[in-house]
Every structure is written in C-alpha cells, then in structure tokens.
Amino acid sequence: MTKHNQWSSKLGFILAAAGSAIGLGAIWKLPYVAGTSGGGAFFLIYLLFTVFLGAPLLISEFIIGRSTQKEAISAYKSIAPNSSWHFVGILGVGTSIVLLSFYSVVGGWIVNYLLRSLTGSLSKLELVDYQQLFGTIISNPFQAIGAHLLFIILTVLIVQGGVQKGIERVSRFMMPSLFILFIILVTRSLTLEGAFEGVSFFLKPDFSAVSSETILFALGQAFFALSLGISTMVTYSSYLQKGESLPRSMFSVVGLTILISILAGLAIFPAVFALGFEPTEGPSLIFTVLPAVFNEMAFGTLFLVLFLALLLFATITSAISLLEIIVASLTKGSNDTRRKMAWTSGIIIFTLGIPSALSFGLLENSLIFGLTFFSLMDFLVSNIFLPLGALLIALFVGNKIPKEILYKEISQGSSVPYQLFKLWYFLIRYVTPVAIIFVFLHALGIFSFIKKMVLTFG
Ligand code: PHE
C-alpha cells in the first residue's frame, strides 16, 4: 500500500473542504428553493440550522476523520469495531453515488452554457430567449446526456490525480476568484432600478409562507450546502495532519459557505425583481436571471464567461468530494487502484444519472410519486438521506466516543475553552438528534395528527 494521502497544508484542507461545501447548494439550489418557499423566512431558518446543527456536525465529521485517518466506512469500523455503525459510512457512500448522479446533470448544464458563452452565442439575447435557450439545454436528450457525461469525465480526471495534485490545486485558485466575481455581480444587481424589492424578498422574513415542508427543506438545504451527513467531511479530514485546529477549520468553512449563500441571494433576487422575472421560477432561476444581469453590464459577455467558468469550478470541487468518498472507500487509501476505481465509479454514476438527465425532456411526464426522476432523487437525498445520515453521525459522536476523547480531539491544535466544548457537546448529543427527529415527524404530519386526535377526543 502506498503512503497515506495528505493535504499539503492547512490552507489546502480549508480550501478543499470549503470547495466541497460551496457549490450548487449555495449558488443554484438555495436561491431557487428560497424563491419557491417564501424567500426571507426560508433563508433565516436555513441559517439557523446551519449555525446550530450544521456547524457542530461539521466538527463531528472532522473528529471522526482526523482521529482515525481512515475513509468513511473504515473510520466508523475503527472507532466502533464489531458493531453496525459502519453502516453510516455505507449509507454515505451510497448516497454520494445517487447525489453525484443528478448533481452532474446540473453540472452538465453549466458545461453546456459555458461552451456556448465561449462562442459568444449567449450574449445580448432578450430575456425570453434565455428561458428558451435553457429549455433547449435541459430538454434535448443528446445535449443533456452529452453534457452530463462531459462533466463526469472532468470530475474523474481530477479525482484520479489524487489529493494534492488534483483536488487541492484546483481549489486553491478557484475559491478566491469566485468571491471576487460575486462581489462584482452583487454590486451590479443591487444598483439596478427596482432592486430593493428583491433585497426585501430575500432578507425580510415572512413567516406566513412557512410550512412544515419548508422547514424540512431548509434542514436538508443546510446539510446539503455544508456537505454533511454522508461522511464527505470524514474522508476529507482523514487527509489532515493531527496538529491542525478543527474549530478554526469549521469556522472558515461555515463562514465562507454562509457568505457565498448571502452573495448568491443578493446577486439574484434584486435582479429577479428589477428585470421582471419570477422568484418562483425553479431550477432555471440562476440560468436565466444571471445572464440577463450580465447583459446590463459593460463587458457583459466577458463577465458571463468568467462567471460560468467559476460556477463550473465551484460545482466541480463539490463533485470531486462526492467522487472522492466513493473512490476512497473502494481503494482504502491505496493509490494503486485509484485510477481504475475512479473510472469504474464514473461509469456507474453516469448510467444512474441518465434518467435524471432526461427528466426535463423525454421523461418529463414519467412521474414517480408525482415527481420526475431527477426531483425524486434530489428529494430522497436532500430531505431524507442527508438528515438521516446527520442524525446517525450525531448519535455516533454523542454516544460512541467518550467525552474526554472528544475534548482531546477538539483541543488538539487549538485551545478550546471547556465551556465552549460543553456547549458543542450539548448541541451534538441532544439538540441535533432531537431537532432532526422533530423536523422529520413534523414533515410527516405526525404532530398535526396528534393535535387533531387531542381536539377530537381530548
Ligand atoms: N455541498 C455541495 C453543494 O452545495 C453538495 C454536496 C453535498 C457535496 C454533500 C458533498 C456532499 O453543492
């Protein structure tokens, strides 16, 4: 077996972990789900979940990974041998396969957009044309499947390069550029006439729009955007040297993800209202609104190309983390079979993703439980498997690892006041499991059922 993979520096790890977190979740999904789920109130609930459940969970995954230096499945095995806890790792790897299969469909749309913008055929279109163009990109079976394939090939090529050469190198230069471009976008969007309405839609909570489903979506969104619940961060932190500070890394990843979420919202919603779009447009939202904002700018075409390139990078850095957990669990840290496993997984994921790629065209009307294949996969992953995985990870850390060991792990590489540790421990041991179970039951309608029973018979 070759030497264990390692990040070359602490910054490398933070950038890669933030690269995994920041992707379609914060930039594409959050705005459109917030748009269809009431705007500000959804965003606020998402933020609360991110801070109070997401952040403690992120540290938990870091602890499991760094303390064992093992990939997702073996990590649970080495902490709790002869138990069934490694099922959490298997669930994570399985979920990653499904997640990546539809994630790369959206990644493919971006590839398609980018190729078109490079040829200049995207600029100066009328608003309607962007909607039409997006319609073609997602519904034409050859384009959808071809672009999905291209995206997977790109992801495999990076992952087969390994931790330092592949993943870290890409993240290092992409993240800072993405921030700068977002600032430019937000500035333009906020200075459009009529932008304020969008700001208030995005930041002013209207709780009348909140349903139990909204809360479940916000929970799923918080985990999705931080790459939590499927042990991605376990695998990534297993490449971390023992001396690095886990809380500091957590603050950086959570802080950057929240920042990008806010920037994405501020880039999109003001423009939605100023340029006459509907916030409830759905998955097409950023693909139709942002090109229109660029049209309002000097050097718009150039900025559009840049933005699409960065969006593609952000998406790729998340996709590689998904593929990495799968490949790492198959190779068990050996680099000899990495290439073979990366390509084999790529082929399986591509095949599984085909019905998702066709969900906006040929299979648009083939519904399962009222959802297209794509939406069903997304629903299962985001709203069932990620929260379920997160619940199990919280139970594992809160019950299977002794408190003293947890404190030792958290304070290794940083001095964490004991009071702060206790707060974290309380959140992970009690608050997180209870909150997740509560949101699940609420969404299942159990509480309204009980209330009705009490009213009827009480
Ligand atoms: N966090 C990524 C995004 O927001 C998606 C992801 C989820 C990646 C879970 C890895 C694990 O795009």
Side-chain angles (χ1 to χ4, degrees):
M1 199 153 114
T2 43
K3 199 180 148 282
H4 197 296
N5 284 315
Q6 289 268 324
W7 302 113
S8 68
S9 68
K10 185 179 155 173
L11 184 68
F13 168 67
I14 292 181
L15 287 178
S20 165
I22 296 168
L24 292 176
I27 304 173
W28 163 75
K29 208 167 167 215
L30 181 69
Y32 98 72
V33 181
T36 50
S37 311
F42 178 89
F43 188 67
L44 187 67
I45 301 171
Y46 154 79
L47 278 186
L48 291 176
F49 281 146
T50 301
V51 172
F52 291 104
L53 307 187
L57 264 164
L58 189 56
I59 294 216
S60 305
E61 291 205 19
F62 283 169
I63 291 179
I64 302 173
R66 193 188 60 177
S67 68
T68 58
Q69 303 271 305
K70 293 204 162 75
E71 52 71 41
I73 302 174
S74 322
Y76 295 93
K77 267 193 193 146
S78 89
I79 295 177
N82 307 320
S83 73
S84 310
W85 279 104
H86 64 281
F87 167 75
V88 182
I90 298 177
L91 177 74
V93 174
T95 308
S96 297
I97 294 177
V98 181
L99 207 171
L100 189 52
S101 78
F102 69 83
Y103 201 85
S104 56
V105 170
V106 184
W109 299 346
I110 302 170
V111 172
N112 195 332
Y113 249 80
L114 180 62
L115 292 177
R116 285 166 187 265
S117 72
L118 284 175
T119 61
S121 64
L122 262 193
S123 49
K124 297 285 172 253
L125 292 176
E126 292 298 318
L127 300 190
V128 197
D129 292 354
Y130 282 114
Q131 273 154 336
Q132 235 169 38
L133 175 74
F134 183 72
T136 315
I137 286 180
I138 65 175
S139 64
N140 179 307
F142 297 108
Q143 293 199 27
I145 294 181
H148 162 60
L149 178 65
L150 222 71
F151 183 84
I152 292 205
I153 293 177
L154 272 175
T155 310
V156 172
L157 284 175
I158 299 174
V159 170
Q160 77 167 16
V163 167
Q164 280 187 21
K165 273 200 248 119
I167 301 175
E168 200 174 322
R169 195 186 281 169
V170 176
S171 309
R172 248 170 206 275
F173 111 95
M174 165 255 136
M175 298 290 301
S177 326
L178 185 70
F179 276 103
I180 296 171
L181 206 75
F182 252 121
I183 304 273
I184 298 175
L185 250 182
V186 169
T187 315
R188 176 68 266 220
S189 195
L190 285 176
T191 48
L192 288 170
E193 216 180 294
F196 185 73
E197 211 182 325
V199 178
S200 109
F201 174 80
F202 178 53
L203 295 180
K204 225 168 92 194
D206 164 17
F207 285 101
S208 65
V210 174
S211 65
S212 58
E213 216 177 38
T214 318
I215 300 176
L216 178 65
F217 286 178
L219 182 75
Q221 176 61 34
F223 294 149
F224 191 99
L226 278 180
S227 305
L228 290 173
I230 56 175
S231 306
T232 310
M233 294 300 188
V234 170
T235 304
Y236 264 24
S237 53
S238 74
Y239 305 142
L240 197 54
Q241 277 153 21
K242 291 261 181 183
E244 307 290 5
S245 159
L246 297 184
R248 226 175 296 147
S249 308
M250 179 280 283
F251 279 119
S252 311
V253 174
V254 173
L256 291 174
T257 307
I258 291 182
L259 189 65
I260 279 283
S261 309
I262 296 175
L263 289 178
L266 285 179
I268 290 164
F269 288 113
V272 165
F273 285 86
L275 302 177
F277 287 90
E278 286 298 326
T280 50
E281 196 175 316
S284 59
L285 193 64
I286 68 163
F287 291 100
T288 49
V289 174
L290 291 186
V293 180
F294 286 114
N295 254 355
E296 301 287 314
M297 283 162 72
F299 307 108
T301 317
L302 181 70
F303 278 122
L304 178 61
V305 174
L306 260 175
F307 177 76
L308 287 169
L310 290 173
L311 180 61
L312 181 63
F313 277 128
T315 311
I316 289 260
T317 49
S318 302
I320 54 186
S321 74
L322 287 162
L323 186 58
E324 177 62 22
I325 153 172
I326 304 164
V327 170
S329 77
L330 294 171
T331 58
K332 299 264 177 284
S334 153
N335 274 337
D336 307 338
T337 47
R338 176 172 269 275
R339 173 187 276 258
K340 199 167 111 207
M341 291 309 176
W343 284 104
T344 313
S345 316
I347 293 169
I348 295 172
I349 292 162
F350 166 69
T351 315
L352 185 67
I354 292 176
S356 290
L358 296 177
S359 287
F360 301 85
L362 276 183
L363 298 181
E364 195 175 15
N365 296 319
S366 312
L367 304 183
I368 315 164
F369 303 120
L371 297 171
T372 61
F373 191 82
F374 179 100
S375 311
L376 181 68
M377 292 301 113
D378 182 20
F379 179 84
L380 286 177
V381 165
S382 307
N383 303 319
I384 312 276
F385 293 141
L386 295 189
L388 178 67
L391 170 66
L392 294 173
I393 291 171
L395 291 174
F396 180 76
V397 170
N399 296 284
K400 274 283 150 193
I401 308 180
K403 200 170 168 184
E404 314 74 66
I405 301 219
L406 288 174
Y407 183 59
K408 212 181 104 222
E409 277 298 327
I410 284 199
S411 38
Q412 203 174 73
S414 61
S415 54
V416 177
Y418 196 65
Q419 291 303 330
L420 205 62
F421 166 75
K422 269 179 34 193
L423 172 68
W424 168 80
Y425 189 67
F426 177 73
L427 286 172
I428 205 72
R429 192 171 155 97
Y430 303 106
V431 178
T432 308
V434 171
I436 296 175
I437 292 173
F438 189 86
V439 173
F440 264 139
L441 295 180
H442 205 269
L444 284 174
I446 304 271
F447 291 121
S448 45
F449 177 74
I450 295 176
K451 215 154 95 195
K452 227 188 279 161
M453 294 303 264
V454 171
L455 284 179
T456 319
F457 300 109

